[in-house]
Amino acid sequence: MNRRTVLRTATALGAAGITTGIPTHTAAAQAATTASASTAGRRSPLRVQVVLFQGVEELDLAAPYEVLAASDHFTDRDVDVRYVALDGPRTITAAFGTQLRADHRWAPEKADLLIVPGGGYARREDPGVWAEIRRGTLPRALAAAQRPGLTLAALCTGVMLLSAAGVTRGRPCTTHHRAQSDLVEQGGVLKKARVVDDGDLVTAGGVTSGLDLALWLVRRELGVDAALGLESMLEYEARGTVWTS
C-alpha cells in the first residue's frame, strides 16, 4: 500500500470523523479500505531515467531530476526518478567539478521517460557532449533505446546527442541557441520554442529550460494540477511557448 495515499486518505477521513462524529477507529478503517481501493486502481509508476555522462552540466541534470522527483508529492501516481549511466553504476564528474553518483545501470527498456542533459558543447576537447559524440557509444545506445512507450527527452546540447543518434532527423526540435545551426545542418526541423513536443520526442532550449521541460512533462504525464503544485512549491512559473505537434 502506498504510504502517501494512506496518509492523505486518513487525514481527510479523520477530519470527517471530527466534524460528523464518526468514531476515530471507524474513520481509520475507512481510510485503510479507501487507500486499498486507490492502490488497486492506481496506474503503474511513471519511470524516469536521467542520463549522466562525464562533463554533463550540473543545472541541466538537476532541474529535471528535482522537478520530476518532487512531482511525487502532487499526484497519486508514484514517480520513480533515477540517474543512470551507460557504463553502469559509477561516479561522474560534471562540468563544474561536482562529483555525482549514478547508482543505476542503463535500462531504457524499464523507463517511460529518458531525459538527456547537455554540457561541454563549447569545449570540444573536454569531457561532455562532443566527447560522447566522438566516442559514439552513447549516441548508439540512445538510437537503440527507441521503442513504443518510451519518450526520449533532451535539453540544451543534450539534444545534440539525440541528433548524433539520428533521432531528431526530420523532426520538430530545438536546442541551445548556439547549437541550433548544427541541429538544422544535421536534419532537425528547428522550432523557435522553449519546449518542442513531438510525441515520443520532447526537446528544450538552453540550460534553464530544464525546468520548463520537466514542468511540461509533468503536465503531460501527471496533469495540470501536479504542474501547478510544483510551480507553487518552486516559486517558478513555466516560461516560453511549448510547441506541440
Side-chain angles (χ1 to χ4, degrees):
M1 183 181 297
N2 182 274
R3 180 174 179 273
R4 185 175 62 257
T5 302
V6 174
L7 291 174
R8 286 176 175 170
T9 310
T11 300
L13 289 177
I18 291 171
T19 57
T20 64
I22 299 173
T24 302
H25 67 277
T26 303
Q30 290 176 345
T33 301
T34 304
S36 296
S38 175
T39 300
R42 192 170 57 244
R43 291 175 294 168
S44 59
L46 178 64
R47 303 165 301 171
V48 184
Q49 296 179 9
V50 180
V51 180
L52 298 187
F53 51 88
Q54 298 293 347
V56 64
E57 182 89 17
E58 280 89 341
L59 188 55
D60 275 18
L61 64 92
Y65 186 97
E66 180 166 344
V67 171
L68 284 153
S71 70
D72 199 51
H73 298 293
F74 299 97
T75 177
D76 287 331
R77 186 178 181 187
D78 290 338
V79 182
D80 177 47
V81 188
R82 301 180 174 190
Y83 286 132
V84 299
L86 182 60
D87 299 326
R90 59 186 302 205
T91 298
I92 298 293
T93 302
F96 292 93
T98 305
Q99 297 285 307
L100 301 160
R101 178 72 185 174
D103 288 325
H104 299 280
R105 67 179 183 84
W106 179 261
E109 71 280 3
K110 296 182 179 180
D112 303 301
L113 300 174
L114 185 64
I115 301 177
V116 186
Y121 199 74
R123 303 180 300 276
R124 298 198 177 203
E125 302 307 316
D126 292 344
V129 169
W130 273 111
E132 295 302 324
I133 290 173
R134 286 195 300 270
R135 190 163 72 115
T137 311
L138 182 53
R140 286 193 295 272
L142 290 169
Q146 298 176 92
R147 61 169 174 79
L150 175 66
T151 295
L152 289 176
L155 65 143
C156 198
T157 55
V159 179
M160 302 311 298
L161 284 167
L162 293 185
S163 180
V167 175
T168 59
R169 183 172 297 277
R171 301 191 63 177
C173 53
T174 191
T175 185
H176 189 285
H177 66 277
R178 290 188 176 178
Q180 287 179 354
S181 60
D182 292 340
L183 184 62
V184 171
E185 184 178 339
Q186 294 169 27
V189 180
L190 180 65
K191 299 295 180 181
K192 293 296 185 74
R194 183 80 166 168
V195 176
V196 176
D197 186 334
D198 191 36
D200 61 358
L201 173 65
V202 184
T203 55
V207 183
T208 57
S209 67
L211 287 166
D212 304 295
L213 172 68
L215 285 168
W216 173 253
L217 290 171
V218 167
R219 176 172 179 158
R220 193 182 87 163
E221 302 294 333
L222 303 174
V224 174
D225 286 342
L228 289 174
L230 281 162
E231 287 188 359
S232 178
M233 184 198 76
L234 295 167
E235 296 189 355
Y236 177 84
E237 293 183 2
R239 287 183 53 204
T241 301
V242 176
W243 184 96
T244 62
S245 58

